[in-house]
Amino acid sequence: MNITIKKIVIFDDNNQSRFIGFNDGLNIITGDSKTGKSAIIEIIDYCLFSSRSSIPKGKITDFAELFVVIYKINDFYLVVGRPAQKTGNMNYAYLNVESDYNELENIDISYFENLSLRSIKNDIQTEFEQYIGLAISNMNLDNVVTKLDNKGKLSIRDTVSFLFQHQNLIANKHAIFYRFDDIIKRKRVIEAFPVLLGAVDENYYDLIRQEKEKLREIKTEKIIIDKLKLSKENELSFLRNSIQVYYSLIDKTLEDNLTLGELKRIGINLPFPSEVLNDRSKVYLEIDRFEKERNIKYIEKEEIEKALVNLYQTSDDGYDYAKELMKIHAHQKYNKTSSDLKCPICESTAITLKDDIAILESSKEKLVNELIKLGTFSQDNTPLISELKAEQKRIEKEILSLTKSINILAKEDEVFIEAKNEREQIIYQKGKIESLIKSFLDTNSSKGNSKDLVQLESDLKIIREELSKYNPDKFKKDSEDFLKENMDRICGKLDFEEELKPVDLYFNIEDFSFYHKHEGGKIRLDEMGSGANWLASHLSIFLSFLYLNLKNEKSVIPGFLVLDQPSQVYFPRSSKKSELTDEDEILKFDDNINQVKNIFKVLNEEIELIKKETGVEPQIIVLEHANDESFDKFIIKDWDKSKGQGLI
């Protein structure tokens, strides 16, 4: 997934606008302090549905009525328009998809007149996330959701920690990631990382929940088995006493010394009194009715299980469909010609055929454009799966209830009272004892032979086989190895203290801890003792994450990175050589500008490497106050405050 920023537009209430267009690759916005550079991060964050606005108050907020960011997503564009906080509509936004950028090149406020201003929560944001393929609605690994541990639905907000390095963060020795000061958000992003990177999906979390549920059921089943499994002597005694009760009613005597097998055969098929051989008691009829109803429930349960299998298959095929759709679009290009079509034999002009082809080309182009808009649109099946599972459990409970009714039917006093004569009473007792014996045999046999336990353990084995396809341990090792290799390589090209070399950086994706290994010990970031070291570490980490992100085709993390004033380590106050008078300061300035030039050189080299290795060109936006002609070709804006230039 390649998500980059195409344009930022700010509208006031008179349809005046300010805009910045961006390219793939390296984009530098430079200029004096207080020209609005740092606000660009906050505008992008705001149009990624931040719950609050952190856009600096002043000229920008006074001017703005509507903030707009146009995102390029593979071959189509998503337009997000969000009203300024002062409008009172910051909980609402506009969203539209376009396949042709020409429709957006000269966008003005009238573009939004035919769009609905809709709620962000559970509407606009959800639709945006579906377009980029982010559609996992439940990351909870248990069926019980609590307020303290409610991971819930993944969102685009879980990706922003990988996108922004603010000016107070880019060389910070105490923090690396945006929003990680909130311990809950930190934990959520770390746990979501494999999903965001496309290593696991919603089925993975459903399988984890199923595994936990099966383990609970197996534990419960084993406890029941221990409690209900009777010894052979107790089983024989129970059967003989129950049968003898019925035999005494029909004036028959049960033989002595019958084996357990013989008692079982008699118990499940007690003889009728000869004079009522063709009669059946009301209780017996009720048992038959319940058994038929239970069979119907078994059929309903089987249909639900088939539907669940189909839904899981649909979820697995979603990404492959989107990928093939893009391939189809890439091949649907016609070679148009303005020359007339002629018959190869008589060379007469085929005007009608040419018109038909033109109509076909126009229709197909419209179709392809509509298909492109679908992009990687992903619909989460989890709610429907959960609904079907709930229905499955409801039916299982009904089956259990019917079974219990069959087993205890004979205990209903009303039925016994309604028995009109001795014959009915005898047959009632037959049904009661036979049902009780059958229930006992079913329970004791199934629990004794552990048929339910065998099925549960078989189900657990299947679940674990499905889970093994994800291999999270391999994902962890491969990701950490990849990050280390690239962090070491990148940091080696930056201004990293000689005393700490050779570079030996480590990043643990289980807890997002980072350290440098030196002389047999671990050195944390805050122990490195130099702003240049902190900056080199931050840049190495984020450029490596950008590479890791784009090499994973199923990743939903946007492919852009915004860096705010990486040169501040070298130019904390002034970036203008003309303002300096001391010779030592001038020499230091020259050395510092060389370090800044090297930063941009490294950024561009990494962009080219990622594009070469993945086929996807990332986008890095740098907000700077340092300037030099050596990186002029990357500068898209250069604001001079003395000339009244700036974002607004």
Side-chain angles (χ1 to χ4, degrees), residues 210-232:
Q210 288 184 50
E211 181 185 40
K212 286 193 171 187
E213 183 64 26
K214 288 299 175 194
L215 287 171
R216 278 195 291 265
E217 290 178 5
I218 288 171
K219 182 178 179 180
T220 302
E221 189 70 15
K222 287 180 177 179
I223 293 172
I224 293 173
I225 288 172
D226 291 340
K227 289 183 177 180
L228 296 183
K229 186 175 180 181
L230 299 176
S231 66
K232 295 298 181 184

Tab-separated table of all heavy atoms in Angstrom, residues 210-232:
chain	number	residue	atom	x	y	z
A	210	GLN	N	-10.682	-18.087	19.563
A	210	GLN	CA	-11.186	-19.462	19.504
A	210	GLN	C	-10.299	-20.410	20.308
A	210	GLN	O	-10.788	-21.308	21.003
A	210	GLN	CB	-11.247	-19.931	18.050
A	210	GLN	CG	-12.343	-19.284	17.219
A	210	GLN	CD	-12.393	-19.875	15.830
A	210	GLN	OE1	-12.426	-21.088	15.656
A	210	GLN	NE2	-12.375	-19.017	14.825
A	211	GLU	N	-8.980	-20.215	20.197
A	211	GLU	CA	-8.046	-21.071	20.929
A	211	GLU	C	-8.284	-20.949	22.432
A	211	GLU	O	-8.345	-21.960	23.153
A	211	GLU	CB	-6.606	-20.690	20.588
A	211	GLU	CG	-5.579	-21.565	21.299
A	211	GLU	CD	-4.158	-21.096	21.059
A	211	GLU	OE1	-3.941	-19.859	21.067
A	211	GLU	OE2	-3.281	-21.940	20.877
A	212	LYS	N	-8.422	-19.717	22.920
A	212	LYS	CA	-8.671	-19.512	24.351
A	212	LYS	C	-9.977	-20.163	24.783
A	212	LYS	O	-10.072	-20.780	25.848
A	212	LYS	CB	-8.691	-18.016	24.660
A	212	LYS	CG	-7.320	-17.362	24.655
A	212	LYS	CD	-7.392	-15.974	25.268
A	212	LYS	CE	-5.999	-15.402	25.477
A	212	LYS	NZ	-6.014	-14.142	26.218
A	213	GLU	N	-11.013	-20.011	23.934
A	213	GLU	CA	-12.317	-20.582	24.265
A	213	GLU	C	-12.254	-22.108	24.314
A	213	GLU	O	-12.815	-22.739	25.220
A	213	GLU	CB	-13.354	-20.124	23.241
A	213	GLU	CG	-14.776	-20.602	23.504
A	213	GLU	CD	-15.353	-20.043	24.789
A	213	GLU	OE1	-14.913	-18.949	25.224
A	213	GLU	OE2	-16.232	-20.698	25.367
A	214	LYS	N	-11.554	-22.716	23.346
A	214	LYS	CA	-11.422	-24.175	23.330
A	214	LYS	C	-10.658	-24.678	24.549
A	214	LYS	O	-11.011	-25.712	25.130
A	214	LYS	CB	-10.721	-24.641	22.044
A	214	LYS	CG	-11.560	-24.537	20.797
A	214	LYS	CD	-12.818	-25.391	20.877
A	214	LYS	CE	-13.685	-25.156	19.650
A	214	LYS	NZ	-15.045	-25.688	19.815
A	215	LEU	N	-9.616	-23.967	24.927
A	215	LEU	CA	-8.850	-24.379	26.103
A	215	LEU	C	-9.719	-24.328	27.359
A	215	LEU	O	-9.627	-25.201	28.227
A	215	LEU	CB	-7.624	-23.478	26.271
A	215	LEU	CG	-6.500	-23.700	25.256
A	215	LEU	CD1	-5.437	-22.617	25.378
A	215	LEU	CD2	-5.864	-25.076	25.444
A	216	ARG	N	-10.577	-23.307	27.453
A	216	ARG	CA	-11.497	-23.228	28.592
A	216	ARG	C	-12.487	-24.394	28.567
A	216	ARG	O	-12.789	-24.994	29.603
A	216	ARG	CB	-12.250	-21.894	28.581
A	216	ARG	CG	-11.460	-20.732	29.170
A	216	ARG	CD	-12.367	-19.549	29.457
A	216	ARG	NE	-12.846	-18.930	28.233
A	216	ARG	CZ	-12.262	-17.877	27.664
A	216	ARG	NH1	-11.198	-17.335	28.194
A	216	ARG	NH2	-12.751	-17.363	26.556
A	217	GLU	N	-13.014	-24.688	27.371
A	217	GLU	CA	-13.989	-25.780	27.247
A	217	GLU	C	-13.353	-27.124	27.584
A	217	GLU	O	-13.981	-27.976	28.229
A	217	GLU	CB	-14.555	-25.801	25.825
A	217	GLU	CG	-15.472	-24.625	25.512
A	217	GLU	CD	-15.977	-24.661	24.083
A	217	GLU	OE1	-15.683	-25.651	23.374
A	217	GLU	OE2	-16.659	-23.712	23.658
A	218	ILE	N	-12.112	-27.317	27.154
A	218	ILE	CA	-11.418	-28.574	27.442
A	218	ILE	C	-11.196	-28.729	28.942
A	218	ILE	O	-11.398	-29.809	29.518
A	218	ILE	CB	-10.078	-28.637	26.678
A	218	ILE	CG1	-10.345	-28.860	25.182
A	218	ILE	CG2	-9.182	-29.749	27.219
A	218	ILE	CD1	-9.121	-28.725	24.308
A	219	LYS	N	-10.800	-27.645	29.584
A	219	LYS	CA	-10.585	-27.688	31.030
A	219	LYS	C	-11.882	-28.038	31.761
A	219	LYS	O	-11.900	-28.882	32.672
A	219	LYS	CB	-10.059	-26.334	31.511
A	219	LYS	CG	-9.747	-26.297	32.994
A	219	LYS	CD	-9.187	-24.936	33.392
A	219	LYS	CE	-8.889	-24.887	34.888
A	219	LYS	NZ	-8.350	-23.554	35.281
A	220	THR	N	-12.978	-27.404	31.338
A	220	THR	CA	-14.284	-27.671	31.949
A	220	THR	C	-14.706	-29.117	31.713
A	220	THR	O	-15.218	-29.798	32.616
A	220	THR	CB	-15.353	-26.725	31.375
A	220	THR	OG1	-14.953	-25.376	31.615
A	220	THR	CG2	-16.707	-26.977	32.008
A	221	GLU	N	-14.495	-29.601	30.478
A	221	GLU	CA	-14.888	-30.963	30.126
A	221	GLU	C	-14.147	-31.989	30.977
A	221	GLU	O	-14.732	-32.985	31.430
A	221	GLU	CB	-14.606	-31.210	28.645
A	221	GLU	CG	-15.162	-32.510	28.098
A	221	GLU	CD	-16.671	-32.511	27.993
A	221	GLU	OE1	-17.287	-31.427	28.074
A	221	GLU	OE2	-17.246	-33.598	27.834
A	222	LYS	N	-12.885	-31.741	31.228
A	222	LYS	CA	-12.105	-32.679	32.033
A	222	LYS	C	-12.613	-32.720	33.475
A	222	LYS	O	-12.635	-33.786	34.105
A	222	LYS	CB	-10.631	-32.288	32.007
A	222	LYS	CG	-9.954	-32.599	30.675
A	222	LYS	CD	-8.484	-32.192	30.676
A	222	LYS	CE	-7.818	-32.577	29.366
A	222	LYS	NZ	-6.389	-32.168	29.332
A	223	ILE	N	-13.014	-31.555	33.989
A	223	ILE	CA	-13.576	-31.513	35.343
A	223	ILE	C	-14.871	-32.316	35.406
A	223	ILE	O	-15.121	-33.080	36.350
A	223	ILE	CB	-13.817	-30.053	35.775
A	223	ILE	CG1	-12.473	-29.327	35.943
A	223	ILE	CG2	-14.613	-29.995	37.079
A	223	ILE	CD1	-12.614	-27.837	36.183
A	224	ILE	N	-15.740	-32.132	34.362
A	224	ILE	CA	-17.015	-32.866	34.316
A	224	ILE	C	-16.768	-34.368	34.244
A	224	ILE	O	-17.448	-35.168	34.902
A	224	ILE	CB	-17.854	-32.395	33.117
A	224	ILE	CG1	-18.298	-30.943	33.332
A	224	ILE	CG2	-19.059	-33.303	32.894
A	224	ILE	CD1	-18.979	-30.336	32.133
A	225	ILE	N	-15.788	-34.759	33.435
A	225	ILE	CA	-15.479	-36.187	33.287
A	225	ILE	C	-15.087	-36.782	34.637
A	225	ILE	O	-15.555	-37.862	35.025
A	225	ILE	CB	-14.348	-36.387	32.263
A	225	ILE	CG1	-14.866	-36.119	30.857
A	225	ILE	CG2	-13.779	-37.804	32.344
A	225	ILE	CD1	-13.789	-36.109	29.795
A	226	ASP	N	-14.252	-36.059	35.359
A	226	ASP	CA	-13.812	-36.566	36.657
A	226	ASP	C	-14.980	-36.725	37.631
A	226	ASP	O	-14.999	-37.636	38.457
A	226	ASP	CB	-12.768	-35.624	37.258
A	226	ASP	CG	-11.456	-35.663	36.491
A	226	ASP	OD1	-11.228	-36.656	35.777
A	226	ASP	OD2	-10.677	-34.689	36.587
A	227	LYS	N	-15.960	-35.816	37.518
A	227	LYS	CA	-17.082	-35.851	38.451
A	227	LYS	C	-18.139	-36.884	38.065
A	227	LYS	O	-18.793	-37.475	38.930
A	227	LYS	CB	-17.737	-34.476	38.540
A	227	LYS	CG	-16.876	-33.447	39.277
A	227	LYS	CD	-17.599	-32.119	39.397
A	227	LYS	CE	-16.772	-31.117	40.202
A	227	LYS	NZ	-17.467	-29.812	40.331
A	228	LEU	N	-18.355	-37.065	36.769
A	228	LEU	CA	-19.480	-37.889	36.322
A	228	LEU	C	-19.118	-39.317	35.943
A	228	LEU	O	-19.987	-40.162	35.784
A	228	LEU	CB	-20.172	-37.221	35.130
A	228	LEU	CG	-20.837	-35.877	35.415
A	228	LEU	CD1	-21.551	-35.365	34.171
A	228	LEU	CD2	-21.819	-35.995	36.569
A	229	LYS	N	-17.860	-39.564	35.752
A	229	LYS	CA	-17.495	-40.915	35.355
A	229	LYS	C	-17.626	-41.863	36.551
A	229	LYS	O	-16.936	-41.721	37.548
A	229	LYS	CB	-16.057	-40.928	34.838
A	229	LYS	CG	-15.651	-42.276	34.259
A	229	LYS	CD	-14.253	-42.207	33.652
A	229	LYS	CE	-13.868	-43.546	33.078
A	229	LYS	NZ	-12.509	-43.525	32.500
A	230	LEU	N	-18.534	-42.823	36.449
A	230	LEU	CA	-18.792	-43.750	37.554
A	230	LEU	C	-18.000	-45.034	37.375
A	230	LEU	O	-17.649	-45.428	36.270
A	230	LEU	CB	-20.281	-44.096	37.619
A	230	LEU	CG	-21.240	-42.929	37.849
A	230	LEU	CD1	-22.667	-43.428	37.785
A	230	LEU	CD2	-20.969	-42.275	39.190
A	231	SER	N	-17.776	-45.692	38.471
A	231	SER	CA	-17.125	-47.003	38.401
A	231	SER	C	-18.100	-48.012	37.810
A	231	SER	O	-19.315	-47.798	37.793
A	231	SER	CB	-16.698	-47.449	39.798
A	231	SER	OG	-17.849	-47.683	40.589
A	232	LYS	N	-17.591	-49.126	37.323
A	232	LYS	CA	-18.444	-50.159	36.719
A	232	LYS	C	-19.440	-50.730	37.738
A	232	LYS	O	-20.579	-51.040	37.414
A	232	LYS	CB	-17.574	-51.294	36.165
A	232	LYS	CG	-16.684	-50.869	35.009
A	232	LYS	CD	-17.489	-50.385	33.821
A	232	LYS	CE	-16.579	-50.002	32.677
A	232	LYS	NZ	-17.331	-49.435	31.528
